[in-house]
Amino acid sequence: MCGRFTLTVSEEEWVNFFYVQSVNLRFEPRYNIAPGQQIAAIIADDEGRRRAGPLRWGLVPSWAVDEKIGYKMINARAETIHEKRSFREPLVRKRCLIPADGFYEWKKTPDGKQPLRIMLKSRPLFAMAGIYDTWTSPDGKVLHTCSIITTAPNEFMAEIHDRMPVILPREAESAWLDRDLQSIPELLSLLKSYPAEDMQAYPVHPQVGNVANDTPACIEEYKVPDNDAGGDGEQLTLF
């Protein structure tokens, strides 16, 4: 799954990187983005212009009875996304890019789970494939929500977790946003595991497990205590 990520750069940096032409959100760098929160997302309008705005992480389908369903739908599996009622129409008609510069995952170790921040080697920013929908409550409240698509792990991520977010190659970003592209086989062909050789990770402090912690300290490299030696600790080297 993908349950936490970061976007720590300035608004100008990610807006320019993803060729966004219109921004409609108040942005601040984020160090521990969690489900249920408002996140930055990018869509394309009918003319192909890219627009950025806020979506709540956790998809609430337009037909849902209760918005609480969103807490169970933070991710959509690439393998079955076209089969699920909640995801099929958004896959065809409501796709978005979720900008990020890293995501967190917890690796099992003999001493428990160690959180890692995972990034790309070749570029500072990347787009996760997302879908979105709009839900209106009986009292007229409108919610715009999204899910991040996940897929099977590549060789790098398999050592950490059994799922990973779909990170789109640069050349696939425009296709994912293209409203004229509605062929399910073509869309599914974009939902691949990102190349393992371009990924890297480093340990971070367990404080990222608490959603209340959203500070630069969350992304600092963490020296895991060396319990066997009883010393001051040593740098964990994983990859």
Side-chain angles (χ1 to χ4, degrees), residues 159-229:
E159 297 294 322
I160 303 172
H161 199 268
D162 61 0
R163 302 293 294 174
M164 66 179 292
V166 172
I167 297 174
L168 294 168
R170 289 293 273 168
E171 63 272 16
E173 292 169 2
S174 292
W176 185 250
L177 291 180
D178 185 355
R179 293 193 173 194
D180 292 330
L181 176 56
Q182 298 185 2
S183 164
I184 288 179
E186 288 186 54
L187 291 167
L188 295 180
S189 72
L190 300 175
L191 303 179
K192 301 176 180 178
S193 302
Y194 193 79
E197 60 272 17
D198 193 30
M199 301 189 76
Q200 59 185 334
Y202 64 88
V204 294
H205 195 280
Q207 68 177 309
V208 302
N210 186 337
V211 299
N213 296 322
D214 187 6
T215 69
C218 290
I219 64 171
E220 292 178 1
E221 193 161 1
Y222 176 60
K223 290 186 177 181
V224 179
D226 185 355
N227 294 328
D228 292 335

Side-chain angles (χ1 to χ4, degrees), residues 60-185:
V60 180
S62 59
W63 46 263
V65 175
D66 192 319
E67 66 179 275
K68 292 179 181 178
I69 192 175
Y71 292 101
K72 301 178 181 179
M73 303 180 71
I74 66 170
N75 294 152
R77 295 175 68 94
E79 299 89 340
T80 58
I81 190 171
H82 60 297
E83 301 171 358
K84 305 292 185 180
R85 180 188 177 195
S86 302
F87 301 140
R88 184 180 176 92
E89 182 176 349
L91 170 66
V92 174
R93 302 181 184 278
K94 299 176 181 178
R95 301 184 300 273
C96 60
L97 304 178
I98 308 296
D101 58 9
F103 66 94
Y104 296 114
E105 198 52 81
W106 278 254
K107 179 182 172 66
K108 291 182 180 179
T109 74
D111 296 319
K113 292 186 176 181
Q114 172 59 50
L116 306 174
R117 185 174 182 232
I118 300 149
M119 306 168 67
L120 300 188
K121 296 177 182 178
S122 62
R123 50 193 166 103
L125 286 158
F126 55 86
M128 298 182 289
I131 53 175
Y132 68 96
D133 208 345
T134 299
W135 177 80
T136 304
S137 71
D139 63 0
K141 179 177 69 173
V142 177
L143 281 180
H144 303 288
T145 61
C146 66
S147 287
I148 294 173
I149 302 174
T150 66
T151 188
N154 57 29
E155 298 89 342
F156 178 87
M157 284 299 302
E159 297 294 322
I160 303 172
H161 199 268
D162 61 0
R163 302 293 294 174
M164 66 179 292
V166 172
I167 297 174
L168 294 168
R170 289 293 273 168
E171 63 272 16
E173 292 169 2
S174 292
W176 185 250
L177 291 180
D178 185 355
R179 293 193 173 194
D180 292 330
L181 176 56
Q182 298 185 2
S183 164
I184 288 179

